[in-house]
Amino acid sequence: MPDQSVPQARTPESPAPEATSGNGAGLSRRALLGTAGATGLVLGAAGGAVGYAAAPAPATPLSSVGSDRAMFHGKHQPGITEGLQARGHLAAFDLVAGAGRKEATALLRRWSTTAERLMAGEAAPHDDTDVARDAGPSSLTITFGFGHSFFGRTGLEQQRPSALDPLPDFSSDHLDKARSDGDLWVQIGANDALVAFHALRAIQKDAGGAARLRWQMNGFNRTPGATAHPMTARNLMGQLDGTRNPRPADPDFDRRIFVPSSGEPAWMANGSYAVVRRIRMLLDDWEKLSVPAQEAVIGRRKSDGAPLSGGDETTPMDLEKADAKGEYVVPLNAHARITRPDRNGGAAMLRRPFSYHDGFDTDGTPDAGLLFVCWQADPLRGFVPVQRKLDRGDALSQYIRHEASGLFAVPGGAATGEYVGQRLLEG
C-alpha cells in the first residue's frame, strides 16, 4: 500500500514558477493565468493494489499555490503525471435514456471547453457561479474517461478496448454497485477546495439533459507547502506513503503507463486506463496495533518509511535479511514485499490517489480511507496481477475493505482545437 506514489512534471531540483504581478499592485488574476507549472510530486496513499512509490513533492509557499497552472491540451490528458493536488473530486455519469453518440459528442465538447477555461483560471463559459472568483488556477486538472457501458450506449461496441473488460472479483471486495462503474468518469483535482468544487459544479451543470450523476466522491491530500521541507506524504494510517512509483524519467515509463501511439484501438493512442477503488481503512482496528506491529504489516518503519531491512526511505529492500532467530525482518506477508514489481512479473502502475473521510457510522466508526486511482497501459498487466497477489495473503487486507470499483479508458490528450474523445466519437 504505501509503496507507490506518483511522479510529476517538475523535479525536486527544479524551481517553482514565479508568479508575476500586474502594474506593481500585487498578483492580478491575469498575471496568475500566465503562470504555468505543476506543483510537487504526486504522493501515493494506502490501498489494495500498489505499484512503485514516489519521490516527495517540493514544498511550495502557500502564497503561490494559486498561481500554478496545468495545461489542458497536450499529448496526454492532465491529472495523470502532474503533482498530487490537495483536493479532489471523482464522479461518474450515465447517459440518460435515449441519449446516444450524438448527445455524448455534444457533451464532451462542452466538458472540454469548460475544462480548458477553468484550468486557465477563467470563468465557466455558461452561468459561472463565481465560487472560484479571485482565485488563480491552483493546479486544477480535469480528466475524462469512458466506462465499459459507454460503448453500448453510443453504438461504438466495435471500438471498445479489450483492456476495458470487467475486473475480476477479489476476496476483499464488498462493492456497492451504486457507487461503482458508470458510462463516463471525471477526475477533478486542485490545490484549493473552492477551485475544485467550482469545477465539479460546472461539469455537473454542463451534463444538462444528456447525462445524470451516478456517484461522486470527495478526497484530499496534503497541501503543497504544509511541511517545512519536501517529504513523502502520510496516509490516514500514519504511514509514509509514496516511496516507489514509476517516474517519467524511467526508460520504460511510457510503455507501462500509456498506450503507445501504434496501439489498439487507435483512438486510445497516448491514453491510459484508470482503475478507481474506494478503499475503506478500518482505522479503529489498525490503531489498536503497536507501532512495531503496524510496521510488520507494511514492511517499513513508520517514522521515516525505511524498509525494515535497514537504511533510509529510498534504500532497496533486502528481502533475504533475517534476524537472530532466522526469521525474515520483512515478513513474508508484508504489504511492501508482496507489491514489489519483481514479485509480480514486473507489473507496475502509477498511483495517484486521494484520502477521504465521509463522517462516522452510528457507532462512531470513521468512514475514511483511500480513493485509489492507478494508471497503466493495460490493467490486466498492472493492477490485476498485483491485486490478485494481495488477495492471497497481504497482511494489510484485514485492515482495509474495497467498497466501490471502476475501470475507465482515458483517451490521450486533446490537441488544440480538439475535444477529449473526438477521435473515438468522430473516427
Side-chain angles (χ1 to χ4, degrees), residues 128-170:
D128 190 82
T129 61
D130 284 341
V131 171
R133 181 182 287 274
D134 309 315
S138 300
S139 296
L140 174 67
T141 60
I142 304 177
T143 317
F144 303 105
F146 305 115
H148 186 276
S149 56
F150 176 81
F151 298 85
R153 301 293 301 277
T154 55
L156 292 166
E157 292 94 336
Q158 296 301 314
Q159 292 297 321
R160 181 191 292 132
S162 59
L164 204 56
D165 288 347
L167 296 172
D169 295 330
F170 300 105

Side-chain angles (χ1 to χ4, degrees), residues 284-328:
D284 284 347
D285 294 335
W286 174 257
E287 291 163 4
K288 291 176 183 177
L289 298 178
S290 66
V291 170
Q294 292 177 350
E295 293 177 336
V297 168
I298 301 301
R300 290 182 175 275
R301 290 201 300 258
K302 192 172 185 179
S303 61
D304 59 5
L308 297 183
S309 54
D312 59 27
E313 184 183 357
T314 60
T315 300
M317 185 174 290
D318 183 353
L319 300 181
E320 303 303 320
K321 187 174 182 178
D323 59 19
K325 298 180 180 179
E327 298 178 351
Y328 289 120

Side-chain angles (χ1 to χ4, degrees), residues 150-221:
F150 176 81
F151 298 85
R153 301 293 301 277
T154 55
L156 292 166
E157 292 94 336
Q158 296 301 314
Q159 292 297 321
R160 181 191 292 132
S162 59
L164 204 56
D165 288 347
L167 296 172
D169 295 330
F170 300 105
S171 63
S172 57
D173 287 353
H174 296 76
L175 304 182
D176 178 356
K177 292 185 178 180
R179 293 193 295 181
S180 299
D181 304 317
D183 293 342
L184 293 155
W185 177 66
V186 183
Q187 174 190 252
I188 295 169
N191 282 333
D192 178 77
L194 289 179
V195 169
F197 176 82
H198 179 244
L200 175 65
R201 187 69 182 124
I203 290 296
Q204 183 186 9
K205 290 170 65 179
D206 274 349
R212 295 280 188 270
L213 187 67
R214 178 181 177 90
W215 55 258
Q216 191 268 313
M217 303 174 189
N218 306 313
F220 59 90
N221 284 298

